[in-house]
């Protein structure tokens, strides 16, 4: 846990969130600044800065997160699919340094990479 990390504070209940799902290891909540009609994120409850710090010991948890994503997406009405995004490190545009998977869908989801 980190004293200053905003997602650790949310996981501890010190900052409110619009909760989607919670269990012993994971928390999912709506993004405060959504980019699509449905935009939530899933985080481990312990502090892990990014995918770059993930280790073998985290493999099962990371697998659980990926398997949970479609279940939660479906519950929120994303029957036709969704986008998952994991920004990693400054080079990946990450702004909150607590590992999180964005789950985004509904409306028009444009191609991720535009080719000319
Ligand atoms: P990233 O750029 O991948 O690090 O994404 C950080 C995300 O956290 C952004 O989409 C923000 O809108 C979101 N965010 C920041 N603070 C909060 C908060 N208190 N509750 C929910 N989402 C947040
Ligand atoms: Zn944290």
């Amino acid at each position: 846990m980190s004293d200053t990390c905003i997602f650790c504070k949310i996981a501890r209940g010190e900052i409110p969130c619009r909760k989607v799902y919670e269990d012993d290891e994971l928390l999912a909540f709506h993004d405060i600044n959504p980019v699509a009609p449905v935009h939530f994120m899933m985080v481990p409850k312990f502090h892990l800065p990014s995918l770059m710090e993930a280790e073998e010991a985290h493999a099962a948890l990371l697998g659980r997160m990926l398997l949970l994503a479609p279940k939660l997406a479906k519950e929120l009405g994303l029957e036709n699919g969704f986008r998952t995004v994991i920004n990693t490190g400054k080079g990946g545009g990450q702004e909150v340094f607590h590992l999180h998977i964005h789950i985004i869908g509904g409306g028009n989801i444009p191609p991720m990479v535009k080719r000319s």
Side-chain angles (χ1 to χ4, degrees):
M1 281 289 177
S2 156
D3 285 346
T4 53
C5 169
I6 189 163
F7 287 176
C8 280
K9 288 183 180 175
I10 289 174
R12 287 196 296 262
E14 294 169 12
I15 291 178
C17 70
R18 286 178 56 219
K19 196 184 296 181
V20 171
Y21 174 87
E22 181 172 18
D23 63 30
D24 288 350
E25 296 182 307
L26 299 175
L27 178 67
F29 53 94
H30 291 278
D31 196 295
I32 205 166
N33 191 14
V35 299
V38 176
H39 181 177
F40 65 98
M41 64 186 81
M42 202 188 305
V43 308
K45 284 188 167 177
F46 65 89
H47 187 72
L48 179 62
S50 83
L51 214 45
M52 284 193 293
E53 286 76 24
E55 298 175 355
E56 199 61 38
H58 302 125
L61 179 68
L62 293 170
R64 277 200 64 220
M65 292 172 80
L66 288 178
L67 290 172
L68 187 58
K71 292 181 183 152
L72 298 181
K74 199 172 172 189
E75 281 175 22
L76 293 182
L78 302 179
E79 306 279 349
N80 292 326
F82 54 90
R83 172 167 290 163
T84 46
V85 175
I86 307 176
N87 295 323
T88 301
K90 285 200 191 315
Q94 186 175 1
E95 291 181 331
V96 175
F97 283 82
H98 180 127
L99 175 71
H100 51 282
I101 302 179
H102 294 262
I103 293 119
I104 298 163
N108 177 40
I109 302 295
M112 185 80 180
V113 177
K114 288 196 178 128
R115 297 182 174 82
S116 52

